[in-house]
Amino acid sequence: MARTTRQSSRQSSRPTHPVDELLPVPQLALYGFQHLLAFYAAAVIVPVLVGNALGLSREELVHLINADLLTCGIATIIQALGVWKVGARLPLVQGVTFTAVSPMIAIGTGAGGGTAGLLVVYGAVITAGIATFAFAPLFSKLVKYFPPVVIGTILTIIGITLIPVALQDAAGGAHLIGTSAYGDPKNLAYALGTLLFILSMVRVGKPFLSSLAVLLGLVGGTAVAWVFGDVDLSAVRDSDWFGVTTPFHYGMPRFELLPIAAMLVVMLITMVETTGDVYAIGEITRKDVDADTVARALRADGAATVLGGVLNSFPYVAFAENIGIVRMSKVMSRYVVVAAGVFMVVLGLLPKAGSLVASIPHPVLGGAAISMFGIVAAVGVQILGKVDLREERNTLILAVSLGAALLPATVPSFFARMPEDVRAVLDSGITLGALTAIALNLLFNVFTSRTTMEIDWDDIGEPAR
């Protein structure tokens, strides 16, 4: 008995790692809310962009936003808290990946748009989530096959191919194409004003304000548009205070082969992204990260993505933006991120909050999105700076992949004579470019005697802001 007591005493005297430190409730709430603010703009912009592109009604868009926030909260809690072998148990916030925006729009519009298009998207999302969960342990050992030339090329492609989506909103939105309102100077002024406000916040603001620049830009741009009578808040007044997202709200998902293939490519990219974020947060918090930690983080991505498909949301990934908050605040407790997840769940149960986001004018959204997607491209260029582009093979991987990615955006009719199901894959520049980069890397750098360049996860996980 005495020996047991002494052992227990030694164990209890072991210092708790900062990642596992449970802070007092007021601090958890304060720091958790800070994570929520840094995360919010990037989280809601994806369902808004996809919903607008597919022509959803205001009511459907509100449901999409609330479903996203609810699933983000649950996914974040699972990732930070950990359940069985799911979740990295690190201060990582989960959010919808930008990588999926272009492929989902291509899949949804190819299936007829509206809620019918969403059902095909959700079938692909659920299948890709299951595959991610199952493939997680193996992938954690295959990261060496994704060197900086591949990661940098894919991130650059994501940013470049998404910027036109932002520019379309800046002009007034896809629904106005062909009308005199599209490209109206007032729309351009809202977009430019929002973008300039974000840039000025980053230029003169404190680090904390800089991390909130996009969110504040959306709020400021919407406020200016409201003053000039260009914001309709009637839907906010008519929305319920409380509402629960129901599974398969739009109907049962449709499982189609080629959209599933496109979404599998998306999840392959997000697995690399999450892996980088896990190593980056491990470095910041001085917490040991191994293949098992990566596998648990990827399982959380897969589980969250399946949940997203069921609850009318999208694929999930660890958010690099919030890694910057951890570094800046020096608060490393994963329970702070759990608190942020609880806040997200609460917001996801408030339709008025979703309706308010849906009221953001397209030009304001476009102005903010230009900066966000441009940053993604810039991070890709930063990673490509680690690559020896004097080496002809690396140059060809980058050049041919960029060319493939720009085909759908610059020559929309290029694949017009292809079968409609095939176009769901080929009309996504991200999917096409990523597949090209992965295939060329295998051809040039893997299926040869040449060694691939090791990945510096610290740089890949560096926050965008």
Side-chain angles (χ1 to χ4, degrees):
M1 179 66 70
R3 182 180 301 169
T4 303
T5 302
R6 284 196 299 271
Q7 287 177 346
S8 300
S9 177
R10 282 197 298 269
Q11 289 175 355
S12 63
S13 64
R14 257 182 221 163
T16 302
H17 193 283
V19 165
D20 300 313
E21 184 181 1
L22 183 59
L23 302 178
V25 172
Q27 291 184 39
L28 286 177
L30 177 63
Y31 293 126
F33 191 67
Q34 178 176 258
H35 274 284
L36 175 70
L37 291 176
F39 150 96
Y40 192 80
V44 299
I45 203 170
V46 173
V48 172
L49 288 173
V50 174
N52 286 336
L54 297 187
L56 298 186
S57 67
R58 172 64 67 88
E59 183 181 348
E60 291 165 342
L61 185 57
V62 168
H63 190 91
L64 208 61
I65 294 167
N66 284 113
D68 171 42
L69 288 169
L70 176 66
T71 314
C72 281
I74 297 172
T76 296
I77 292 170
I78 292 173
Q79 185 72 275
L81 196 59
V83 179
W84 184 59
K85 295 183 179 180
V86 182
R89 295 180 173 87
L90 291 169
L92 288 170
V93 170
Q94 295 289 104
V96 178
T97 174
F98 286 150
T99 310
V101 172
S102 179
M104 289 192 299
I105 291 174
I107 292 170
T109 53
T115 56
L118 276 179
L119 297 181
V120 179
V121 170
Y122 290 144
V125 167
I126 291 172
T127 307
I130 293 172
T132 301
F133 189 95
F135 192 53
L138 178 59
F139 184 86
S140 64
K141 299 178 177 63
L142 297 179
V143 178
K144 62 182 178 180
Y145 296 119
F146 296 88
V149 67
V150 173
I151 305 302
T153 297
I154 290 174
L155 286 176
T156 303
I157 285 170
I158 291 171
I160 289 175
T161 55
L162 287 180
I163 286 174
V165 177
L167 292 173
Q168 196 171 73
D169 269 332
H175 64 291
L176 294 181
I177 293 178
T179 70
S180 59
Y182 188 76
D184 186 285
K186 182 169 61 174
N187 293 337
L188 302 182
Y190 286 145
L192 181 60
T194 301
L195 179 58
L196 290 176
F197 181 83
I198 291 171
L199 295 176
S200 65
M201 290 296 298
V202 174
R203 173 65 180 84
V204 303
K206 301 291 184 182
F208 177 63
L209 287 178
S210 296
S211 70
L212 302 180
V214 173
L215 177 63
L216 295 175
L218 288 170
V219 172
T222 302
V224 172
W226 178 77
V227 169
F228 285 97
D230 292 320
V231 178
D232 181 10
L233 296 178
S234 60
V236 179
R237 291 191 296 270
D238 297 337
S239 297
D240 295 329
W241 277 105
F242 180 80
V244 179
T245 298
T246 54
F248 307 122
H249 175 78
Y250 302 104
M252 292 304 295
R254 288 168 47 199
F255 299 88
E256 297 183 6
L257 182 59
L258 290 174
I260 288 173
M263 199 56 61
L264 286 173
V265 175
V266 168
M267 292 309 296
L268 184 64
I269 299 168
T270 62
M271 290 168 83
V272 177
E273 186 179 347
T274 290
T275 301
D277 290 336
V278 169
Y279 276 101
I281 199 68
E283 179 69 21
I284 291 170
T285 61
R286 299 294 184 263
K287 183 80 169 178
D288 291 336
V289 169
D290 55 18
D292 181 62
T293 308
V294 173
R296 286 190 276 110
L298 295 177
R299 285 195 194 99
D301 275 4
T305 299
V306 173
L307 186 64
V310 172
L311 293 180
N312 322 294
S313 192
F314 303 118
Y316 285 84
V317 69
F319 257 30
E321 286 90 338
N322 290 79
I323 293 176
I325 296 295
V326 175
R327 173 174 287 177
M328 180 185 70
S329 67
K330 310 299 183 188
V331 178
M332 302 175 186
S333 171
R334 59 192 172 103
Y335 296 105
V336 166
V337 172
V338 172
V342 173
F343 283 129
M344 294 174 210
V345 169
V346 172
L347 281 176
L349 298 174
L350 301 176
K352 278 192 184 295
S355 185
L356 186 62
V357 173
S359 300
I360 297 174
H362 285 267
V364 173
L365 185 68
I370 289 170
S371 65
M372 297 175 72
F373 297 151
I375 285 173
V376 175
V379 172
V381 172
Q382 177 186 346
I383 294 171
L384 286 171
K386 297 168 58 66
V387 179
D388 183 8
L389 292 179
R390 293 170 298 181
E391 165 59 57
E392 185 179 17
R393 298 185 183 193
N394 288 335
T395 302
L396 281 173
I397 291 173
L398 173 60
V400 176
S401 300
L402 282 175
L406 290 175
L407 271 177
T410 56
V411 191
S413 59
F414 194 88
F415 298 114
R417 302 187 65 181
M418 292 288 184
E420 196 163 306
D421 287 343
V422 176
R423 288 182 60 186
V425 177
L426 299 181
D427 279 347
S428 166
I430 292 175
T431 304
L432 198 57
L435 282 173
T436 303
I438 292 169
L440 289 178
N441 179 65
L442 291 174
L443 176 65
F444 288 155
N445 294 330
V446 176
F447 299 145
T448 66
S449 58
R450 302 172 79 235
T451 58
T452 59
M453 183 176 177
E454 290 297 319
I455 302 176
D456 186 339
W457 289 115
D458 294 342
D459 282 356
I460 291 178
E462 188 73 22
R465 301 191 192 103

